[in-house]
Each structure stands twice: as structure tokens, then as C-alpha cells.
Amino acid sequence: MIEVSALTKSYGPIEALRGVSFHISRGEIVGLLGPNGAGKTTILKILTGYLQPDEGTILIHGLNALEHPREVQAQIGYLPETAPLYPELTVQSYLQLMADLRQVPEERQREHFSAAVYATGLQGHLTRPIGQLSRGFRQRVGLAQAIMHQPQILILDEPTVGLDPTQIVEIRQLIRRLAQHTTVLFSTHILSEVETLCDRAIILMNGEVRADARLSDLAATSNAVMVLSNAVLDAPAALRNLEGVRAVETFRSDDGFPAYRILGDSAMGVELCPVIYDLARSRQWALRELRRDVRTLETVFNELATRAEVAA
């Protein structure tokens, strides 16, 4: 559905994008995740034709977006961070204007209008001026205009920024409903947003893709955590000698007991917990806890951020 290859973009001496490549398949909900200034908005503006890249190619449904911008834009619904609204217009007048601008055929406008209004829950607000709506409902109007022409791809830039907790939940639920019929790419710097909505995340830092994987794959790890009732002086050395172990980290558990994070070599494919259990039993260690180490998206993000700082 979307193929991005070696995308670069500079603003004077500032490199906003450095060889960004990724692909998105039909029906996916993909979160473009990164800190402020990572290049997320630049990518979305290039995908939607608002900016031209310095180098790289973009294919949307097999069409070159740089050579056929109008044809590609007809397949995309776009909600920028600041929704393009006219506060003096009523919701109905504004959406009718968007249908005309999107060149929805007149005989199909009623169908498209009704579908967009009911999808976004705006049926009780059609006669109200947009300027009198709450921030959450203005965001709904922005989403309604983005799907008015029933696009195959929906691109959203920070769709919940500035909303209160209740409005955030409502917009997330709305995006999830829209994704049943549309491929969705949205940018955010909110980790919980990606965990709630997405099966896959593209993590962008300093204009480069640092990770691109399903959330389950990002969280997967071959590491293990062992907690003992008493400190054992030779435990780190004994653990390091196990097959498939590349390093051992010592720390204190939340309740103050000696703990060890055993880092596995994923290339060797060794399941560490059974091996560690056998070692602990043979050494008669007082084992309190033994589990596979699970990484959260926050852990992955912080690891990548730390590496980016070191590289810089």
C-alpha cells in the first residue's frame, strides 16, 4: 500500500530525514513514533504531497507519489496536527465544502456525507458553528473531512494532541473503528497511544528509522530475571558460564532482594529459564523468582533514545 525508500529532506543545514525507508501493507494500523523534532511531521507532509523530498521515492498503490501527486492524494485522507477548519461555518456547511473540494460525485455526496458523519458521531452537531464546538468535537470534524471521499489510506498527525483524557479515549476509539476499512498511519510521541491502537510501530529518531516491527516483536527478548532470597557471591560468574548467556547485570528487586538480569544471545536460541533453574537447584540457591524478562515499548524507546544520544 505504501512504499517509502531512501527518503531524505533538509531544511538548510538541518537534516530532517536521513534515508528513511519503510513499507505499510493494506489494513495495517501503524504508529510513527518519535520525540519532538524526530521528523515525523516531515514524513507525513511528504507522503501527502505538501512537501517535496530532496531524494527518495514514494509509491502509493504502485503509483509514484512525486510523479502523480493528484492521483495519489485522491487515495489519501489527511488530518494535520492543526485541523484545517473554518470556525464560522457550521459542521454541515464545512463538510459539504470538503465534499465539493474532494470532487465527490454529486450523486454520491449524500452517501459519503452520511457515512462520514455517522462514523465520527457528528449527527447531533451538524447545525452548530465549528467555532462553538469543544476541542474533541473539532477533532472529529477534522477526521470527518479526512474520510469524506472514503480514502484507502488515512494519515493523521498527532491526532490526540491537546485533548483531555475523555476526548483522547473517544478519538482512539474512533480511529480504531475507521481502521476496519482503511489503512492508517499516524504520528505521535505518546507511547501509550501506539500500544493502545497499533500492532506495529516505526520508531524515528534524529531523522532515521531506529526500529520497525510489530509490538510483540519489539517486546520479545531472550533475557531472564532471577531473584534470590540471599546474595550469592559466585552467582554472576556461574550465570555467565551458562550456554547462551552473553552478560549478567546485578540489581535489587523492588522489595530489596538480590536480583540478576541474564542477557541471552538471541542468535543461539537458548531458552534461559530452564537452564538457570537447573543451575539454581544444583547450587541450592534460595530462588524467589525466575521469569523471562519482558520489555515494554517504553523500555525499547528509552534504549533507542540512549543509543541515539551516545551516537550524537
Side-chain angles (χ1 to χ4, degrees), residues 8-217:
T8 66
K9 178 66 178 179
S10 295
Y11 300 101
I14 300 174
E15 287 185 290
L17 301 178
R18 306 173 182 176
V20 169
S21 299
F22 60 84
H23 75 276
I24 298 174
S25 301
R26 183 190 300 273
E28 284 192 296
I29 308 179
V30 178
L32 188 60
L33 178 63
N36 292 329
K40 305 186 299 295
T41 296
T42 297
I43 289 178
L44 300 190
K45 285 185 175 180
I46 290 174
L47 287 175
T48 53
Y50 284 81
L51 284 177
Q52 291 290 306
D54 298 333
E55 295 179 10
T57 59
I58 304 165
L59 299 180
I60 306 289
H61 247 177
L63 277 176
N64 189 310
L66 305 179
E67 297 176 359
H68 306 279
R70 295 295 294 274
E71 292 91 333
V72 166
Q73 287 174 340
Q75 301 182 48
I76 295 175
Y78 178 42
L79 176 62
E81 185 174 346
T82 302
L85 304 177
Y86 296 94
E88 68 278 8
L89 294 181
T90 65
V91 173
Q92 182 170 339
S93 298
Y94 173 75
L95 294 181
Q96 184 63 57
L97 173 63
M98 292 298 105
D100 291 337
L101 290 175
R102 281 294 192 176
Q103 298 181 336
V104 177
E106 188 172 346
E107 65 274 12
R108 299 191 62 189
Q109 283 194 6
R110 181 186 294 272
E111 171 196 340
H112 283 227
F113 183 92
S114 296
V117 167
Y118 278 95
T120 53
L122 289 170
Q123 55 269 33
H125 301 270
L126 293 177
T127 59
R128 294 187 62 187
I130 293 173
Q132 295 180 9
L133 298 177
S134 68
R135 177 68 186 267
F137 272 97
R138 291 201 298 272
Q139 200 75 335
R140 286 172 181 253
V141 175
L143 281 166
Q145 67 81 24
I147 63 173
M148 178 59 67
H149 57 303
Q150 297 184 355
Q152 299 183 54
I153 299 170
L154 187 58
I155 294 179
L156 312 173
D157 192 1
E158 303 278 2
T160 62
V161 68
L163 302 183
D164 66 36
T166 300
Q167 293 168 338
I168 288 173
V169 171
E170 291 173 351
I171 294 299
R172 287 176 180 173
Q173 291 172 344
L174 175 54
I175 292 171
R176 196 178 290 111
R177 290 199 301 272
L178 294 174
Q180 295 175 6
H181 309 287
T182 310
T183 300
V184 177
L185 171 64
F186 73 92
S187 74
T188 183
H189 60 275
I190 303 172
L191 299 176
S192 60
E193 197 127 276
V194 175
E195 291 178 317
T196 301
L197 289 173
C198 300
D199 293 321
R200 180 172 155 227
I202 299 171
I203 299 178
L204 196 72
M205 291 187 179
N206 297 329
E208 298 177 331
V209 173
R210 297 300 173 92
D212 179 359
R214 299 182 68 82
L215 296 189
S216 57
D217 294 333

Side-chain angles (χ1 to χ4, degrees), residues 253-289:
S253 66
D254 291 341
D255 46 4
F257 289 94
Y260 308 87
R261 179 171 288 105
I262 302 95
L263 308 182
D265 186 345
S266 56
M268 297 187 67
V270 176
E271 182 66 36
L272 290 180
C273 285
V275 178
I276 295 169
Y277 177 78
D278 289 341
L279 174 67
R281 187 175 62 175
S282 68
R283 299 289 183 96
Q284 297 185 335
W285 294 344
L287 190 64
R288 290 184 61 86
E289 181 181 358

